[in-house]
Amino acid sequence: MANLGIDFHSGVPDVTSLSRDIQWVLCDTFHTSFAQVRQDVLKAGLLFGCYQGYDTASWSNLENASLRAKLAVSACQSAGVTEGSVIFLDCEQSQFAMEEWVTTWGKTVAEAGYQPGAYLGAGFNCDWAKVTDIAVYWKSVSLSSVPNLINGNPYHIYQVTDSTNYAGISVDFDVEAMDGVNWDNDIVLPTRSASSTPIPSSASLAGTHTITVQKGQTLWGLTKGNWSLIHEIQSLNHMGSSTTIDAGASLIVPESVS
């Protein structure tokens, strides 16, 4: 699982200046330098993903769903994006019921050999329980009209900051909280083995307690999106960079986490 990444709308990131913590980059398929950004990202040994920025004018016509999906697919094919890689639909600001539109978009993307996903932003009128052909979900940082769970389940990706100046451009930071995202040219990222991770001392365990992980719980949910707490829990439990926690397992957590 690739934990931390960025997404951006404009400008071109200096990939060589990204922190070592950044593991993937999401780029708009309509970006004028889409193909070049992908090439730079992969050359840097990072993972690549993409999304199709929203266009409120297209929401009113169902025919636009397949047309826009084909535009996103065409951009990916032209740039050499590996089949099976994720393409997210940016879902924001629609007064229309969007279940059929989103399903049609997802079906078109899937038929072209890519993995359809959806980014849930504010003001999007959609009953997600009625949507099919969407494989992965990405939650915006906005708390306005965006459900905390998607169909009763955690999201695959959570956006954790909005419009942060980083590497010379405005980006959003995101964390992958659940497996299932097919990144372009997915690679196995190095993680610290348990043997190389220092065993917590009695001093470092002070102010902690042990909980039993409940079904559906995630590190993101337990920490309310606090990335520092996620790192602390990973360290306490010899998890390396993994964010996977299994129901029924015992987990050492700081006292502030219940």
Side-chain angles (χ1 to χ4, degrees):
M1 182 184 297
N3 293 354
L4 188 63
I6 60 171
D7 68 272
F8 67 100
H9 300 275
S10 60
V12 179
D14 178 2
V15 176
T16 61
S17 70
L18 297 180
S19 162
R20 287 181 4 182
D21 291 332
I22 303 299
Q23 298 175 342
W24 44 271
V25 175
L26 276 160
C27 180
D28 193 336
T29 57
F30 288 142
H31 196 290
T32 54
S33 299
F34 180 72
Q36 185 61 53
V37 170
R38 174 185 180 265
Q39 183 177 334
D40 292 344
V41 166
L42 298 184
K43 187 181 296 184
L46 305 177
L47 305 180
F48 183 76
C50 58
Y51 64 95
Q52 183 175 50
Y54 75 95
D55 175 14
T56 54
S58 72
W59 299 146
S60 61
N61 190 336
L62 181 60
E63 291 182 359
N64 289 330
S66 58
L67 290 175
R68 283 179 58 79
K70 289 174 181 177
L71 286 174
V73 166
S74 177
C76 288
Q77 291 173 334
S78 297
V81 177
T82 309
E83 279 196 14
S85 302
V86 64
I87 306 175
F88 286 100
L89 174 65
D90 188 353
C91 299
E92 302 181 65
Q93 307 301 331
S94 172
Q95 61 181 338
F96 305 98
M98 295 298 294
E99 296 84 5
E100 189 175 4
W101 203 105
V102 174
T103 295
T104 300
W105 183 93
K107 186 183 295 293
T108 304
V109 168
E111 287 174 348
Y114 290 92
Q115 182 186 40
Y119 169 89
L120 274 64
F124 196 74
N125 182 7
C126 187
D127 181 351
W128 292 98
K130 296 179 180 179
V131 171
T132 62
D133 291 279
I134 295 294
V136 291
Y137 289 93
W138 171 19
K139 184 183 183 299
S140 75
V141 71
S142 172
L143 298 178
S144 173
S145 70
V146 180
N148 290 324
L149 294 174
I150 182 70
N151 295 330
N153 299 307
Y155 294 82
H156 294 81
I157 298 176
Y158 290 87
Q159 197 174 70
V160 294
T161 70
D162 184 26
S163 301
T164 302
N165 192 315
Y166 181 72
I169 63 171
S170 178
V171 307
D172 304 323
F173 282 91
D174 306 89
V175 59
E176 186 183 358
M178 188 166 64
D179 289 321
V181 182
N182 294 329
W183 299 105
D184 185 17
N185 281 13
D186 205 353
I187 58 175
V188 178
L189 295 165
T191 59
R192 294 182 301 172
S193 66
S195 60
S196 65
T197 304
I199 297 174
S201 65
S202 57
S204 66
L205 289 175
T208 68
H209 65 288
T210 300
I211 64 170
T212 300
V213 178
Q214 303 300 308
K215 184 178 180 180
Q217 281 187 323
T218 64
L219 278 186
W220 178 259
L222 284 171
T223 61
K224 297 180 173 60
N226 187 317
W227 191 242
S228 294
L229 280 178
I230 290 175
H231 277 308
E232 188 173 351
I233 293 172
Q234 288 171 329
S235 177
L236 286 169
N237 294 274
H238 314 300
M239 296 171 63
S241 62
S242 173
T243 56
T244 301
I245 54 176
D246 298 320
S250 295
L251 196 68
I252 304 170
V253 299
E255 284 184 345
S256 59
V257 177
S258 59

